[in-house]
Amino acid sequence: MAYIKGIFIQDIYNNPSNGYMVGLLRIKESDMSEYINKVVTFTGLFDSLKYKTTYRMEGNFVTHNKYGEQFQVDSYELVLPTDEEEIIEFLSSDLFPIGEKTAEKIVNRLGKDTINIILSDSHSLDNIPRLSSGKIEKIIDTLNDYQMTSHIVIELNKIGFSTKNSIKLLKKYSTNAIKKINDNIYDILDDIEISFDELDKIARNNGYELNDERRLLALTINMMNTITFNNGDTYLYFDEMYDYMLKHTDNIDEDTFEYILLKLSKLNRIIIDKNRYYLSEFYEAENYIVKRLVNLNNLDRRKLPKLDQKINQLELLTGITYDESQRNAITKSLNNNLTIITGGPGTGKTTIIKCIVKLLIEFCKIKPEKVALLAPTGRAARKLMDTTGIPAYTIHKYLGWDKDSNSFEHNEYMPNKEEYIIVDEASMIDTILMASLLKGTLLGAKFIFVGDYYQLPSVSQGQVLKDLIDSNCLDVIKLNRLYRQTEDSYITTLAHEIKNKELSENYLSKYDDYNFITCNNEEILGTIEDIVKKALAKGYKEKDIQVLAPIYKTINGIDSLNKMLQKIINPKSPDKNEITSGDTIYREGDKILQLVNDSDNFISNGDIGYIESITSANKTKSKKNEVIINFDGTRVTYTPKDFINITHGYAISVHKSQGGEFKMVIIPFSPSFKRMLYNKLIYTAITRAKQTLILVGDPSSFIYGINNNYVEQRKTTIKELLEKKYN
């Protein structure tokens, strides 16, 4: 590792949110003499750098294919000046409240050791002419801050923190960072974004034993978060937690673990209810959901006048005749305080939502701003907006989610003002999000939840829609009649056959909207390639075609599919810029899947966009490669550090497809997928198809998945709490 020492003269790029900086340093000293007296570009993570100040940086020179030679900084420290001229220049800089003449007077009196004398003796400046006590205090504070900041970063680096995390700690705790670490290193898990495993490794390297009480407390919380997320549970049992702890401790005994749990309970980090152990946030969320919905359900109903007559008028206007079950769903939704509508594909859920919105706004003269249309994903929200013609939002956007604090602007203290809340794709809502939604709305607001009971549950903890329906305590409208079906169509029929595990022999027949192309494992990729080429030749647009698969790896997995599909849908061209990230090539025109929520840019996990432009670093103000992705009119700029948040979207997972519909859906079935194939997953996948569904591969794997009764038996409490309230 090399070092350079010199004066910071300019920053080229500075991102205050993460501390990343590109700057220029005029080198005065280095272990590589050829760089002395030269200005070099450096890159790295810094808390803050002051102009015209000397720093010592350790790292290595690298040659970037776009930016040329740079010094990549691993660690750095402030070097306070010792030469009298340098000290005068330093003290007369913008950092201090004095000019050059006063700085000269200070140095003339205190000499080459001026800075150390000031830091060690607060009265050393008392007799300097025209230097007030306020200015003296400012000089001392600035020098202390300079020295302390540099010292803290160096110390945190020595402890084992990366410069990036050292800067996070410094920004969070300021001069108390080292004390915080020394008191209990695990406490920082609540304050900065760092994984338990990463922090635990640092702690263990600094003398923490496996069974140190501080470690056991943090490990237990991490363990409960891990298991509940993996299983979708909201509570755990002692034995499953103890088994985990045995693998990650020095053979901890049951009594010690019980003591840890009791201490966490006293700290209000967990709730112990008989033999169930909850993280406090899940216990409180489930109880709040039940209390709020029961109160809402028991409020006096505000019925809309002459509703039957208005439905009749709407039928005449639209030419649609609603049958008895649909009218029942519409009437109850508008008159009840709380209604749940559930049904599979083709049962009229979208038709009912459209009708409800029209009745509210056009016939009942409810102002549009009093109606909120919501969905868990951006894709589902856009579908809702297209259906109704009025704005729809993701729940996160509606509540004003702040990703840095992971909190919502709208809560029980500042709720939104809408009086009618219609939520589509409600099966995707997890426990914490449901509690947050209820907190962020008026106590008397009417709720209409719409979703498919049989869809995959939420990714995060809970199964709210299922619990609400299974409780049999609330008004649930179940739609069973199929409407969206013609004589030579099969998609909707297949969905219901799969759900009921009553697959007919017709699944190998060809229909106008469906085909199963049988082939062996090695032929799946080529067969899908042929299908896509033919679809494009017939006039299908690329955005109309979506490939869904259950896993990323193997020759027929999502990663392989994306590489193949990129070659045929968006091949390499001299007219298209491209950029490489790892083993992935991103090219202008590529279909892109967003992997995380981004509240700043109003895009959601699962949104699909297209690369509009790629600009090389030497042509951008940021001096970084920039990729602009267009998400249905929302343009977002990505630099290399953001590439972890995206991937190609030609083929995506079934979970990522939830809340969306596509004109053509292609699904491979391979024997290597078997461990991931089960009834609900296949049902969810095939119900994404709006016009055409093509299955490719091994029929036996398809049948295996349909007959696989695997269901995530999540441990949750909402159903039980509702039953207690009503029974």
Side-chain angles (χ1 to χ4, degrees):
M1 187 174 291
Y3 85 90
I4 57 176
K5 176 182 170 183
I7 298 172
F8 172 48
I9 58 175
Q10 182 184 343
D11 67 330
I12 297 170
Y13 173 78
N14 185 12
N15 186 339
S17 65
N18 60 15
Y20 182 80
M21 179 185 284
V22 180
L24 299 179
L25 194 80
R26 189 184 301 281
I27 297 180
K28 294 164 38 179
E29 180 185 315
S30 174
D31 54 0
M32 295 172 289
S33 58
E34 66 269 28
Y35 291 99
I36 294 175
N37 296 324
K38 290 186 177 181
V39 175
V40 300
T41 302
F42 65 87
T43 65
L45 297 169
F46 303 89
D47 171 50
S48 62
L49 296 183
K50 305 293 189 295
Y51 293 120
K52 297 181 182 180
T53 304
T54 302
Y55 292 91
R56 187 181 192 277
M57 301 176 177
E58 292 191 350
N60 291 293
F61 277 100
V62 297
T63 301
H64 195 282
N65 60 349
K66 296 286 186 183
Y67 311 140
E69 190 172 57
Q70 301 174 329
F71 190 79
Q72 234 172 41
V73 180
D74 290 322
S75 62
Y76 73 99
E77 61 180 309
L78 169 74
V79 179
L80 293 173
T82 55
D83 179 88
E84 288 186 3
E85 288 186 7
E86 289 179 349
I87 297 171
I88 292 170
E89 183 182 2
F90 178 56
L91 290 177
S92 59
S93 70
D94 293 339
L95 297 168
F96 298 92
I98 59 175
E100 187 175 343
K101 287 184 179 180
T102 305
E104 285 177 356
K105 291 175 183 177
I106 294 172
V107 175
N108 287 339
R109 173 169 292 188
L110 302 179
K112 290 184 178 181
D113 206 26
T114 291
I115 292 174
N116 287 331
I117 291 172
I118 294 172
L119 288 169
S120 61
D121 181 5
S122 60
H123 297 290
S124 60
L125 299 175
D126 286 351
N127 296 319
I128 302 296
R130 300 177 67 183
L131 194 60
S132 66
S133 59
K135 288 182 178 180
I136 291 173
E137 186 178 349
K138 172 68 173 174
I139 292 169
I140 294 171
D141 287 347
T142 301
L143 288 172
N144 277 322
D145 181 56
Y146 248 62
Q147 192 177 56
M148 184 61 71
T149 297
S150 179
H151 170 74
I152 289 170
V153 172
I154 292 168
E155 286 301 306
L156 291 171
N157 285 161
K158 288 179 181 177
I159 290 170
F161 290 99
S162 66
T163 301
K164 180 179 180 180
N165 284 329
S166 296
I167 289 167
K168 284 183 185 177
L169 290 164
L170 191 59
K171 287 181 182 294
K172 179 67 182 178
Y173 303 119
S174 186
T175 55
N176 292 320
I178 300 297
K179 183 180 184 303
K180 186 77 175 178
I181 298 300
N182 289 337
D183 289 346
N184 182 358
I185 194 171
Y186 292 100
D187 277 348
I188 72 171
L189 287 167
D190 296 328
D191 295 330
I192 74 164
E193 189 177 340
I194 184 172
S195 72
F196 175 85
D197 290 341
E198 183 179 355
L199 184 67
D200 192 45
K201 184 178 179 181
I202 295 170
R204 299 279 293 117
N205 289 337
N206 283 274
Y208 279 76
E209 299 295 334
L210 282 171
N211 286 8
D212 186 300
E213 182 177 308
R214 295 167 295 181
R215 179 180 185 271
L216 293 177
L217 291 167
L219 176 63
T220 302
I221 295 296
N222 178 71
M223 170 267 294
M224 293 181 73
N225 271 309
T226 300
I227 298 177
T228 56
F229 181 81
N230 289 341
N231 297 345
D233 298 332
T234 57
Y235 67 84
L236 301 172
Y237 292 122
F238 183 90
D239 288 346
E240 60 185 318
M241 294 192 296
Y242 184 58
D243 287 345
Y244 182 100
M245 296 295 283
L246 284 175
K247 296 172 185 176
H248 295 84
T249 59
D250 186 14
N251 200 32
I252 182 176
D253 59 74
E254 289 192 17
D255 289 342
T256 301
F257 184 45
E258 284 181 356
Y259 162 77
I260 292 296
L261 292 170
L262 287 171
K263 185 158 187 176
L264 286 170
S265 176
K266 287 183 178 179
L267 293 169
N268 202 35
R269 297 297 304 276
I270 70 170
I271 303 294
I272 303 172
D273 186 353
K274 298 179 182 176
N275 64 337
R276 298 175 179 178
Y277 296 81
Y278 299 78
L279 287 162
S280 294
E281 55 265 36
F282 293 115
Y283 183 87
E284 291 164 4
E286 286 192 322
N287 279 273
Y288 180 85
I289 290 167
V290 171
K291 179 182 176 182
R292 175 70 186 276
L293 292 182
V294 168
N295 288 344
L296 179 63
N297 203 41
N298 291 342
L299 285 176
D300 290 339
R301 274 122 169 103
R302 293 175 285 121
K303 295 188 177 182
L304 293 169
K306 300 179 180 178
L307 195 52
D308 281 338
Q309 181 181 328
K310 289 170 181 174
I311 295 174
N312 293 337
Q313 291 172 351
L314 181 59
E315 287 180 329
L316 289 172
L317 182 68
T318 60
I320 297 173
T321 302
Y322 303 107
D323 66 20
E324 185 178 346
S325 65
Q326 289 177 314
R327 288 181 78 101
N328 182 44
I330 295 163
T331 302
K332 285 191 172 181
S333 296
L334 291 171
N335 285 335
N336 288 353
N337 295 326
L338 172 63
T339 308
I340 298 168
I341 300 172
T342 184
T347 56
K349 298 190 299 295
T350 301
T351 300
I352 289 170
I353 291 175
K354 189 174 181 179
C355 172
I356 289 169
V357 171
K358 270 191 170 295
L359 285 168
L360 281 172
I361 296 173
E362 296 180 21
F363 289 83
C364 299
K365 304 304 178 184
I366 302 296
K367 294 179 179 179
E369 56 266 29
K370 295 292 185 182
V371 181
L373 298 183
L374 308 176
T377 68
R379 191 187 301 120
R382 282 189 290 276
K383 175 186 163 190
L384 200 53
M385 185 160 57
D386 291 341
T387 298
T388 61
I390 67 171
Y393 305 95
T394 64
I395 297 171
H396 280 80
K397 183 176 179 180
Y398 177 70
L399 296 177
W401 180 59
D402 183 318
K403 68 179 178 181
D404 293 327
S405 61
N406 193 27
S407 62
F408 294 104
E409 175 187 358
H410 295 287
N411 50 38
E412 59 266 53
Y413 308 110
M414 194 172 73
N416 282 295
K417 304 301 182 185
E418 287 78 7
E419 297 175 0
Y420 293 85
I421 316 292
I422 302 170
V423 188
D424 199 10
E425 299 289 351
S427 62
M428 299 172 67
I429 304 176
D430 60 71
T431 300
I432 298 297
L433 186 58
M434 176 63 88
S436 299
L437 173 60
L438 294 172
K439 288 177 182 178
T441 51
L442 292 172
L443 290 174
K446 292 192 175 196
F447 272 90
I448 303 166
F449 292 104
V450 183
D452 187 342
Y453 174 88
Y454 206 71
Q455 291 282 357
L456 290 170
S458 59
V459 174
S460 295
Q461 293 91 330
Q463 50 183 12
V464 180
L465 183 71
K466 182 178 187 299
D467 282 350
L468 296 180
I469 293 172
D470 286 347
S471 72
N472 293 316
C473 297
L474 305 174
D475 218 332
V476 177
I477 313 296
K478 296 181 180 179
L479 305 173
N480 296 309
R481 180 179 171 185
L482 300 182
Y483 298 93
R484 197 177 70 208
Q485 189 167 356
T486 62
E487 186 176 337
D488 197 31
S489 67
Y490 186 57
I491 296 174
T492 304
T493 300
L494 178 63
H496 288 267
E497 288 180 356
I498 289 170
K499 183 175 75 171
N500 298 325
K501 301 181 185 67
E502 296 174 351
L503 190 65
S504 68
E505 293 180 0
N506 295 333
Y507 84 95
L508 286 176
S509 302
K510 185 175 180 180
Y511 293 84
D512 284 348
D513 64 347
Y514 169 83
N515 194 10
F516 196 128
I517 301 175
T518 303
C519 61
N520 62 43
N521 199 50
E522 290 71 30
E523 295 170 332
I524 290 175
L525 212 62
T527 303
I528 292 176
E529 181 177 351
D530 290 340
I531 293 167
V532 173
K533 284 179 178 177
K534 288 176 182 176
L536 293 171
K538 286 181 178 179
Y540 275 92
K541 295 179 181 178
E542 184 280 323
K543 67 178 181 179
D544 299 332
I545 304 168
Q546 188 60 61
V547 180
L548 304 179
I551 62 176
Y552 281 84
K553 303 304 178 185
T554 78
I555 60 170
N556 297 311
I558 293 168
D559 293 340
S560 295
L561 286 163
N562 268 319
K563 284 184 170 60
M564 177 272 289
L565 291 166
Q566 183 193 37
K567 288 178 183 177
I568 62 171
I569 292 173
N570 190 34
K572 187 178 181 68
S573 166
D575 299 328
K576 296 177 181 178
N577 294 326
E578 58 183 48
I579 187 173
T580 301
S581 176
D583 63 349
T584 301
I585 297 171
Y586 291 112
R587 184 175 297 136
E588 288 176 343
D590 269 344
K591 185 178 187 177
I592 297 296
L593 176 73
Q594 177 75 13
L595 299 174
V596 297
N597 289 328
D598 182 351
S599 60
D600 291 342
N601 291 301
F602 305 112
I603 52 173
S604 306
N605 182 356
D607 281 356
I608 289 177
Y610 292 84
I611 295 180
E612 202 168 79
S613 66
I614 297 175
T615 308
S616 59
N618 59 354
K619 296 180 181 178
T620 64
K621 288 183 180 179
S622 68
K623 301 302 178 186
K624 290 178 173 292
N625 293 326
E626 291 184 357
V627 177
I628 294 179
I629 303 176
N630 189 331
F631 294 91
D632 284 340
T634 300
R635 290 172 174 80
V636 183
T637 300
Y638 293 77
T639 57
K641 67 179 177 58
D642 305 311
F643 291 169
I644 192 172
N645 298 329
I646 59 173
T647 187
H648 281 127
Y650 301 106
I652 64 176
S653 70
V654 179
H655 284 85
K656 292 291 185 187
S657 74
Q658 281 185 271
E661 280 187 341
F662 310 94
K663 285 186 178 179
M664 174 183 283
V665 170
I666 303 167
I667 309 171
F669 285 90
S670 163
S672 61
F673 294 171
K674 273 190 174 180
R675 63 186 179 84
M676 293 296 293
L677 291 175
Y678 56 97
N679 189 284
K680 257 191 180 181
L681 184 92
I682 296 174
Y683 174 84
T684 301
I686 68 111
T687 54
R688 301 307 93 205
K690 191 175 181 181
Q691 292 182 3
T692 303
L693 172 67
I694 301 176
L695 310 184
V696 179
D698 175 30
S700 66
S701 297
F702 175 64
I703 294 170
Y704 169 86
I706 290 172
N707 292 323
N708 182 0
N709 290 321
Y710 168 75
V711 177
E712 296 180 64
Q713 298 292 348
R714 298 186 170 191
K715 297 193 293 293
T716 59
T717 325
I718 289 175
K719 173 177 177 287
E720 180 182 323
L721 291 171
L722 278 170
E723 289 171 342
K724 284 182 180 178
K725 286 283 186 182
Y726 281 100
N727 298 327

